[in-house]
Amino acid sequence: MRSRQRTFAAVMRLLLKCLRLGRRRRFKLVRQAEQLWHYGHLCLRSLLYNSFTNGDVVLDSLFEPIYWLVDHVTRWFGVVFVALVIGLTSSVVAIVYICLLPLILQTYTPAWICWHLAYGHWNLIMIVFHYYMAITTSPGHPPQAKDDLTGVSICRKCIAPKPARTHHCSICNRCVLKMDHHCPWLNNCVGHYNHRYFFSFCLFMTMGCIYCSISGWEMFRDAYAAIERMKLLEKERLQVAANQTYYQTPPPTFSFRQRAFHKSVVYLWVLCSSVALALGALTLWHAALITRGETSIERHINKKERQRLQKKGKVFRNPYSYGSWDNWKVFLGVDVPRHWLTRVLLPSPHLPRGTGLSWDLPPCVMEPRVPLLAI
């Protein structure tokens, strides 16, 4: 009996020792896993540490694959967008010449006919000229040799000199002087040498669409009412044909030419009104940027810099702004009063002020620039 008790006690002691060893081993494994986790976390933070890292940088890194996809899609579909702009504009011009111009010549007074012919053709010439120049003119790229430039940084993507106001376009894969944005409707970047062409195209296209919308409002109402009458008569004709015992259908009330005319007028008015609203908003946005002497990219940079300096009790001043009126004169290349006619109201291929590599005070600006920082 005693031997059985001793054997049972020995087995229980052995079992308890095994449990203690297993528990200690488990605790040891947990401690080792925690140490490895903290060590890996510390290594990751040491490798990725940057004093400028914030939530925006993390979001940009997460969305990098989406940016890559959008850049490649935009690059390949740029030609399609340009063809779409040319096709839609050509369709509107064809409708005006085929449908509206004969009606204007028959019903309007000679004074109004002269006005429509003069303004319409002038607006069309300005649109075609500036769009052609915007898509064919290079926005400007910095030279590859650093010896030609002083006081510039290096682009971290193309490893090339990066002058002031220059930014890298991920779609063109090149640095662009005074880059504003990459426009898929131009299949080109908007930069130093074609920024004026881009804005002028947007402005004159908006003016042309507003002109067509206002001038064709009464025609649009008549055409829309005629289309509604077409639908009603077509419905009645089908009902009559269904009640007849023979298969002869009555002749159509409206001819094909009448249907095409009314639908073309409705198409023209709807398209011009839609483009006027969308492109008009974009034109106003760029007009506000030009008034402040900024580009689309610089607006975001200056906003962050303004907030950063505001926390320190300082005021940010844009070093490339010369005042609202002078900013427009520099942007449009107006040096003397007659340039408002020859360079703004008429097609002009003149180059912008400067080379885009340095930004000296233009001769047309009388007042000196404000300092970069002011306390």
Side-chain angles (χ1 to χ4, degrees):
M1 186 69 181
R2 290 182 179 178
S3 60
R4 291 180 179 179
Q5 291 178 352
R6 290 176 182 175
T7 303
F8 179 76
V11 171
M12 293 300 296
R13 284 195 297 270
L14 181 61
L15 181 61
L16 290 175
K17 288 182 180 180
C18 291
L19 291 176
R20 292 194 190 97
L21 289 175
R23 187 179 302 172
R24 291 175 183 174
R25 187 170 298 175
R26 285 199 305 272
F27 289 159
K28 186 177 181 180
L29 291 175
V30 171
R31 285 196 300 270
Q32 290 178 352
E34 291 179 352
Q35 291 176 357
L36 289 175
W37 168 257
H38 290 299
Y39 178 75
H41 184 64
L42 180 61
C43 290
L44 185 64
R45 291 188 60 184
S46 63
L47 291 174
L48 301 179
Y49 175 76
N50 191 333
S51 59
F52 297 100
T53 301
N54 52 22
D56 296 337
V57 177
V58 174
L59 288 177
D60 290 341
S61 301
L62 293 177
F63 280 93
E64 191 66 28
I66 300 178
Y67 297 152
W68 180 88
L69 180 62
V70 171
D71 291 344
H72 282 70
V73 169
T74 304
R75 182 184 306 172
W76 289 108
F77 277 84
V79 179
V80 179
F81 291 150
V82 171
L84 186 61
V85 172
I86 296 175
L88 293 176
T89 306
S90 302
S91 66
V92 171
V93 174
I95 292 173
V96 170
Y97 274 102
I98 296 173
C99 300
L100 302 186
L101 186 58
L103 191 60
I104 290 174
L105 296 177
Q106 293 174 5
T107 57
Y108 283 27
T109 61
W112 276 110
I113 291 175
C114 293
W115 155 254
H116 285 293
L117 290 177
Y119 179 81
H121 287 89
W122 169 78
N123 204 344
L124 178 61
I125 292 173
M126 298 297 287
I127 291 173
V128 173
F129 171 79
H130 287 101
Y131 187 70
Y132 174 78
M133 295 299 294
I135 63 178
T136 57
T137 303
S138 173
H141 307 284
Q144 298 297 318
K146 190 176 180 180
D147 298 337
D148 301 336
L149 303 174
T150 57
V152 299
S153 59
I154 300 297
C155 178
R156 63 183 179 88
K157 293 185 178 180
C158 57
I159 316 300
K162 186 179 178 182
R165 310 188 79 177
T166 299
H167 300 280
H168 186 88
C169 177
S170 57
I171 300 175
C172 299
N173 199 23
R174 293 191 65 180
C175 282
V176 178
L177 297 175
K178 192 192 170 185
M179 179 179 176
D180 188 89
H181 69 287
H182 183 94
C183 182
W185 300 102
L186 302 179
N187 194 26
N188 195 8
C189 274
V190 177
H192 179 63
Y193 289 102
N194 64 347
H195 193 181
R196 179 178 65 87
Y197 297 132
F198 164 77
F199 177 78
S200 299
F201 164 72
C202 293
L203 176 63
F204 289 112
M205 178 64 81
T206 303
M207 292 171 56
C209 291
I210 294 175
Y211 163 73
C212 291
S213 299
I214 296 176
S215 301
W217 169 245
E218 295 295 333
M219 299 180 185
F220 165 75
R221 292 178 57 186
D222 296 338
Y224 186 80
I227 291 176
E228 292 297 324
R229 289 197 302 270
M230 289 181 194
K231 294 180 180 179
L232 182 60
L233 292 176
E234 184 70 18
K235 184 178 180 181
E236 294 178 355
R237 187 180 65 84
L238 292 177
Q239 292 177 354
V240 172
N243 295 330
Q244 290 177 350
T245 57
Y246 53 90
Y247 295 96
Q248 182 180 1
T249 57
T253 307
F254 290 90
S255 64
F256 173 78
R257 184 175 181 179
Q258 291 175 330
R259 293 172 183 269
F261 174 83
H262 295 311
K263 291 181 179 180
S264 297
V265 172
V266 173
Y267 162 80
L268 179 142
W269 192 87
V270 172
L271 178 62
C272 289
S273 301
S274 303
V275 173
L277 291 175
L279 195 59
L282 180 64
T283 304
L284 290 176
W285 164 255
H286 280 278
L289 293 177
I290 295 170
T291 304
R292 295 196 296 263
E294 298 176 335
T295 61
S296 299
I297 298 177
E298 290 174 351
R299 176 189 176 275
H300 299 285
I301 298 175
N302 294 345
K303 181 180 179 181
K304 291 183 179 180
E305 189 68 13
R306 189 177 295 106
Q307 293 175 353
R308 185 183 70 85
L309 293 176
Q310 188 177 4
K311 295 179 181 179
K312 297 182 178 181
K314 299 180 179 181
V315 179
F316 172 78
R317 303 294 184 187
N318 184 10
Y320 308 112
S321 177
Y322 312 105
S324 301
W325 183 247
D326 288 334
N327 287 337
W328 279 102
K329 291 170 63 177
V330 172
F331 177 79
L332 298 174
V334 176
D335 298 329
V336 293
R338 70 172 182 272
H339 286 167
W340 289 104
L341 174 63
T342 59
R343 294 188 174 185
V344 179
L345 298 180
L346 294 176
S348 175
H350 66 277
L351 297 176
R353 173 69 58 183
T355 61
L357 303 177
S358 61
W359 302 94
D360 300 327
L361 189 67
C364 61
V365 178
M366 299 300 178
E367 298 180 357
R369 285 181 291 182
V370 295
L372 177 62
L373 300 180
I375 300 178

